[in-house]
Amino acid sequence: GQPQDIVVTVPDGSTVNQALLYWAARYPDGGTPDANATVKINGGASNAVPGTLIGGPTPISDNPPGTTMRSIAYRADITGLINPADLIGPSVITVSVGDLDFPEGLTDGAEVVVVLDDGGMAATVDVRDGSDYANYGLHPPLHPNHDPLGIYVPQTYTAGVDFPLETEQARDARVIVFGGDAQANRTDTVRVLVDGSAVQNLIDQLTSSNGSQWDTLNMPFTVPAGTTSITVEVESGSTTSTAAGTTD
């Protein structure tokens, strides 16, 4: 049910630069998606928050026959709703989210992404968002971007364009993936490839671990000196089951 709380802990010595609210849903053709949410911060006043459409409506299924469901995702910057004193750690920010109304469809969850400045070395934060839907059982024409394995459009980061090329030393990196509509009885793989070789290969880790049909995966890895590309991809399904996952 709604509303639900998302709790953000800001460590001592850190400052919140930006807080972004994401939510995703599915609804049938002819339905009416709602681009608005209601947000309360630390039990304060209720705020109507309009979302920016970042992906979809994407056709994703034909069940029941003749009815195409669509996947959709929104983003809203909620930094300005937070008390400035709470943007500086140590602090706890409770974001209460409600009124994600998709009466003809399914609300797949919400997430708050916080960009922190911890006072350490400068780092690059690259956010790739949208509505990519991976389902082993879906093929063209319902989803022309899928190959037979159910891999959604991979996200590739290129040295010299998305991150600096470093030829002398290795670096630490981290990929955070969040998505909706994944369940424990479905098969999935989330992998990170560095110059084409997998350095993270997480199997069946999308299990509604952060609430009903919502997951967050935090994947640290090492970027060797001379790396030219990093790719993140999600694979859905197996020969015995149908898996689905929405990543935003």
Side-chain angles (χ1 to χ4, degrees):
Q2 300 181 42
Q4 293 288 330
D5 291 342
I6 301 172
V7 180
V8 177
T9 300
V10 183
D12 189 13
S14 295
T15 302
V16 175
N17 283 350
Q18 191 173 34
L20 299 172
L21 172 66
Y22 288 87
W23 65 96
R26 290 164 289 157
Y27 68 97
D29 275 350
T32 305
D34 186 350
N36 298 292
T38 298
V39 174
K40 293 182 179 180
I41 306 293
N42 290 339
S46 179
N47 299 275
V49 175
T52 298
L53 179 66
I54 59 171
T58 304
I60 57 174
S61 67
D62 194 27
N63 186 19
T67 302
T68 298
M69 296 291 288
R70 295 183 178 272
S71 175
I72 199 165
Y74 297 96
R75 179 189 64 232
D77 190 328
I78 60 171
T79 314
L81 301 180
I82 302 171
N83 186 324
D86 292 330
L87 296 175
I88 302 172
S91 66
V92 175
I93 304 169
T94 300
V95 182
S96 181
V97 183
D99 290 337
L100 305 181
D101 296 325
F102 290 82
E104 305 96 341
L106 299 169
T107 302
D108 283 327
E111 177 103 347
V112 174
V113 175
V114 175
V115 179
L116 289 175
D117 181 354
D118 64 1
M121 295 180 60
T124 299
V125 178
D126 191 321
V127 178
R128 304 283 178 96
D129 56 23
S131 179
D132 289 320
Y133 194 92
N135 188 312
Y136 179 80
L138 298 183
H139 302 288
L142 282 178
H143 206 309
N145 291 330
H146 285 177
D147 69 12
L149 292 178
I151 300 177
Y152 82 97
V153 181
Q155 297 296 308
T156 297
Y157 302 83
T158 303
V161 177
D162 301 306
F163 64 94
L165 176 64
E166 173 58 64
T167 60
E168 297 183 358
Q169 62 183 1
R171 290 170 291 179
D172 294 329
R174 186 181 304 271
V175 169
I176 300 173
V177 174
F178 60 91
D181 188 32
Q183 299 180 24
N185 62 347
R186 297 171 175 175
T187 301
D188 54 74
T189 303
V190 181
R191 63 175 63 89
V192 178
L193 302 100
V194 173
D195 286 339
S197 298
V199 296
Q200 282 277 13
N201 202 47
L202 302 183
I203 299 173
D204 294 342
Q205 295 299 300
L206 300 175
T207 59
S208 298
S209 58
N210 297 120
S212 178
Q213 301 189 68
W214 197 260
D215 289 276
T216 304
L217 296 182
N218 193 333
M219 299 181 290
F221 61 98
T222 298
V223 181
T227 292
T228 59
S229 70
I230 301 169
T231 299
V232 183
E233 63 185 21
V234 176
E235 181 179 335
S236 165
S238 70
T239 58
T240 58
S241 67
T242 298
T246 306
T247 57
D248 308 306

